[in-house]
Amino acid sequence: MRLKMEAFIKEKQKEIVAALEEVDGKKFTTDTWERKSSGGGGISCVLQGGNVFEKAGVNISVVYGKLPRSAVLKMRADHKNLDPTVESLDFFAAGLSMVLHPSNPMAPTVHLNYRYFETMNDDGSTQSWWFGGGTDLTPSYLFDEDAIHFHKTIKEACDGHDKRYYPAFKKWCDDYFYVKHRGESRGIGGIFFDDLDDKDPENLFSFVRDCLDAFLPSYLPIIEKRKNMPFTPEEKEWQQIRRGRYVEFNLVHDRGTAFGLNTPGARVESILMSLPLTARWQYMHAPAPGSKEDRLLNILKKPVEWV
Amino acid sequence: MRLKMEAFIKEKQKEIVAALEEVDGKKFTTDTWERKSSGGGGISCVLQGGNVFEKAGVNISVVYGKLPRSAVLKMRADHKNLDPTVESLDFFAAGLSMVLHPSNPMAPTVHLNYRYFETMNDDGSTQSWWFGGGTDLTPSYLFDEDAIHFHKTIKEACDGHDKRYYPAFKKWCDDYFYVKHRGESRGIGGIFFDDLDDKDPENLFSFVRDCLDAFLPSYLPIIEKRKNMPFTPEEKEWQQIRRGRYVEFNLVHDRGTAFGLNTPGARVESILMSLPLTARWQYMHAPAPGSKEDRLLNILKKPVEWV
């Protein structure tokens, strides 16, 4: 499964980057990095200041090495078969993660991440394993048809495997991407799951494959429709304020970001690639009651069932 | 002391706001707020989009009420005489906090905060008390003479009370305002202290008063010299990238911000007033070796003794 997942995310990275270059008209720059202290590395593809994307990153990483005991104890909450007495534990992790911030305020930011995690016995055989990930949409201006299309595409990918997945993972996404101190969601959701090992690995790999395959069909029609829409300077400013909230979630609440930043030898530039190129914090900004901006805020306060 | 500190910070807020309005040419807007669930409130003075200041906030707050047991247990680390068996504890806190983000990239951001904290017995008498606070400077372009002037002014205020204060609090500041995941300081420091109760309250109040009195002399000459300096679009962009690092420190590492955001009923807009109006995250940005930007980064990696 390690090799399969690695090969799959490499292939998907190329496919997604090629499709996004088609949309944008500019090329991504690619850099390959290696973990200094331990095993593995990654490939970061980034497009900054594009025609369509203000900042877009499509990263894969394949890392392995030894987890310290503190990390093992934390993971035991969800994986009871991990031995709490070990000093350290061999692990392997492979994932693709992506954040796209378009320039046009009518076009939504999208985030996606799928990963496979494994712990190993001393002889290199698999001990525990699981899949995690999801995808979610963050508009500054909400077009209901976009939200419906996005959720519908993901739901179909989920339903092909397990009818319980979409409702459960949609709720998990709403719960996870919640900017607690603002009392609002980061965006209009999608799906999120972690520690998924309820079926055999082949089965779940095929589920994750279908989720990743659903990305381009879920997002391309939206970005094509929105990327050239006219907008006012005030609408651009509202987008910048919403980008500030995105930064707040990622830096204050996102467990993945916190985990990354606290990992010695972590590649900070790849972790913070998720942050927008520009953001704004305006004291006591409040949209006019009944405006489009106000409607978005109200929807973010109470998740909607889009399909 | 409660009333004295309250009266003093109110007076200083007016004085500082008036002096900054003189520098900027535009007026601050003032709003007064009250804590809904419990006692106290504050006065926030904010100037946004000024001639000199992109965003400037000068806040005071005077709050009191009951600290839950979890908060009492945390504070016991530094105040052993707090009773760990109580369900809750009456407290009082009064402070002035300020962050000024100038528009001109040659003019440094400055932060200041001084506060008095008290816990009370059931009969309302004082149980524990302490002072905390400090001030620090964050330039995008470093003029050594500014750093020297800033530190010298603060050192003089400290030396009038205790020769040990400046060296100890300067180091505390360097240690506290450290952006760990970047391996660099937020700025070129100043002073920082907390839980200060090593002299009698009157003595320490007079120390904090001298520190606050030193603010205008420490900063006004710098902002006057820098506010109208010419700059290029590239220098403005560098300032925006440095503002991004400011956001990273405040949202990821600052204990005060984290404490505030996790306090139920907290006034989020006043807590996040410290964030700049605009910020930027540029993937893999690295200044040219030997440039002014590069020199700043090197200095931020290793604190300097400015006086």
Side-chain angles (χ1 to χ4, degrees), chain A residues 42-223:
Chain A
I43 305 172
S44 294
C45 297
V46 176
L47 175 60
Q48 228 165 223
N51 298 311
V52 172
F53 297 105
E54 193 172 277
K55 193 169 169 192
V58 186
N59 284 355
I60 62 167
S61 66
V62 178
V63 299
Y64 46 90
K66 286 188 183 298
L67 280 178
R69 194 172 160 196
S70 57
V72 176
L73 289 176
K74 267 188 199 161
M75 288 195 315
R76 268 202 92 225
D78 299 297
H79 303 278
K80 295 294 173 217
N81 60 337
L82 296 181
D83 181 354
T85 65
V86 293
E87 269 313 301
S88 68
L89 187 60
D90 285 314
F91 81 98
F92 170 93
L96 184 153
S97 70
M98 169 166 68
V99 180
L100 313 179
H101 293 291
S103 307
N104 194 307
M106 302 302 150
T109 288
V110 69
H111 161 250
L112 173 147
N113 169 269
Y114 291 102
R115 56 193 176 268
Y116 172 71
F117 202 93
E118 199 173 296
T119 62
M120 288 167 273
N121 298 310
D122 287 342
D123 63 1
S125 60
T126 304
Q127 188 185 62
S128 280
W129 60 269
W130 60 93
F131 288 91
T135 182
D136 60 283
L137 201 69
T138 306
S140 297
Y141 285 93
L142 175 61
F143 299 91
D144 288 13
E145 60 188 273
D146 295 353
I148 293 165
H149 170 77
F150 185 77
H151 275 270
K152 200 162 160 270
T153 314
I154 306 167
K155 183 176 184 296
E156 277 162 15
C158 291
D159 284 353
H161 293 267
D162 194 322
K163 293 270 182 200
R164 294 165 305 179
Y165 279 177
Y166 175 78
F169 300 164
K170 195 267 185 197
K171 183 176 183 311
W172 201 340
C173 185
D174 287 334
D175 292 345
Y176 183 82
F177 291 101
Y178 183 65
V179 190
K180 199 179 156 199
H181 63 273
R182 296 285 189 181
E184 63 187 37
S185 294
R186 185 174 76 172
I188 55 96
I191 57 167
F192 181 87
F193 59 90
D194 205 356
D195 305 305
L196 191 66
D197 59 0
D198 66 339
K199 297 191 167 57
D200 71 67
E202 285 301 333
N203 233 309
L204 289 176
F205 177 54
S206 129
F207 165 60
V208 164
R209 220 164 41 202
D210 284 351
C211 285
L212 247 169
D213 285 344
F215 170 70
L216 289 173
S218 76
Y219 187 68
L220 287 190
I222 297 175
I223 189 73

Side-chain angles (χ1 to χ4, degrees), chain B residues 52-68:
Chain B
V52 172
F53 297 106
E54 192 171 279
K55 191 168 168 192
V58 186
N59 283 356
I60 62 168
S61 67
V62 177
V63 299
Y64 44 90
K66 284 189 183 298
L67 281 178

Side-chain angles (χ1 to χ4, degrees), chain B residues 129-184:
Chain B
W129 60 269
W130 60 91
F131 288 92
T135 181
D136 61 281
L137 201 69
T138 306
S140 296
Y141 285 93
L142 175 61
F143 298 90
D144 289 13
E145 59 187 276
D146 295 353
I148 293 166
H149 169 78
F150 185 76
H151 276 270
K152 200 163 161 270
T153 315
I154 306 167
K155 183 176 183 298
E156 278 163 15
C158 291
D159 284 354
H161 291 267
D162 195 321
K163 292 273 183 195
R164 294 166 304 180
Y165 279 177
Y166 174 77
F169 299 163
K170 194 266 183 197
K171 184 176 182 311
W172 201 339
C173 185
D174 287 334
D175 292 345
Y176 184 83
F177 291 102
Y178 184 64
V179 190
K180 199 179 156 199
H181 63 272
R182 297 284 190 181
E184 64 186 37

